[in-house]
Amino acid sequence: MLTAILLAYDAPARPLRRDAITRSLASLVEACVQGLVADAVLVGAPGSGLERIADEAGCMLVEAMRKEEGLTQALDIARQETALLLLAGNAIERGFIEEVDDAFAYGAAERAFVLRAAPSSLVTRLAPNLAEPVGLIARKNALRAAQSGDLKKLAKRLRCAELKSSARRTF
């Protein structure tokens, strides 16, 4: 089982909308029902209005100015030993649950995995592993040791295996 950690920080070029965060959380409902995700933590900047979303979704809330600091706090309160990091504004697509279940069932539970954005250009359609990392599955101790809030750096440091499923943008 996983603890889902949703990182809801605004990008400089595009502010994050509340409905995008809600859609990201909603994409995890089936994973909860199927028993893959046990709990969730919403992480964002203080004063960004995430309290209401966290309350309505029934998830824990961590507020921190820096993404790295927020991730560290979220890992401290995560109930499961393995975490799914997901950038808010992205929703997991069909096939993700089955793929992760199969990976865990066949002995890859200790391995880290990267979830990439759904292909949006010719280049990413031809080479999907060039798409931006928007999610990551890894053990909490490995995430702490990697010491970064940037998913691209984390994926590289943890030598993540590529998931075939992807996540689509919700905004």
Side-chain angles (χ1 to χ4, degrees):
M1 292 187 90
L2 305 170
T3 292
I5 300 175
L6 191 67
L7 301 170
Y9 285 90
D10 288 328
R14 55 177 183 224
L16 196 57
R17 297 183 352 218
R18 285 188 178 78
D19 62 323
I21 298 168
T22 305
R23 288 182 185 147
S24 295
L25 283 168
S27 76
L28 299 172
V29 170
E30 186 178 350
C32 292
V33 171
Q34 297 292 332
L36 180 62
V37 173
D39 59 322
V41 181
L42 181 57
V43 183
S48 56
L50 298 177
E51 303 87 10
R52 185 171 177 198
I53 295 171
D55 184 48
E56 289 176 3
C59 61
M60 296 175 274
L61 175 65
V62 170
E63 293 182 312
M65 287 304 295
R66 294 183 37 240
K67 193 185 296 186
E68 295 82 8
E69 181 184 325
L71 178 56
T72 300
Q73 290 177 27
L75 291 170
D76 289 341
I77 65 171
R79 295 181 186 147
Q80 305 301 314
E81 281 305 308
T82 305
L84 162 65
L85 304 182
L86 184 64
L87 295 180
N90 295 283
I92 59 172
E93 291 188 331
R94 295 207 184 273
F96 172 81
I97 298 166
E98 293 80 10
E99 184 178 5
V100 174
D101 277 342
D102 288 348
F104 287 172
Y106 295 110
E110 297 296 321
R111 185 109 198 237
F113 297 94
V114 64
L115 177 70
R116 297 198 179 269
S120 60
S121 69
L122 178 61
V123 173
T124 56
R125 282 187 175 89
L126 295 174
N129 57 340
L130 294 178
E132 174 187 0
V134 295
L136 193 101
I137 297 174
R139 304 290 255 171
K140 291 191 312 186
N141 57 1
L143 290 167
R144 282 189 187 103
Q147 297 180 340
S148 180
D150 180 62
L151 290 185
K152 189 180 260 185
K153 288 179 184 175
L154 282 172
K156 190 177 233 181
R157 289 178 185 169
L158 297 175
R159 297 187 178 137
C160 293
E162 297 282 334
L163 291 172
K164 293 193 186 326
S165 51
S166 59
R168 62 179 160 64
R169 294 176 83 161
T170 61
F171 56 94

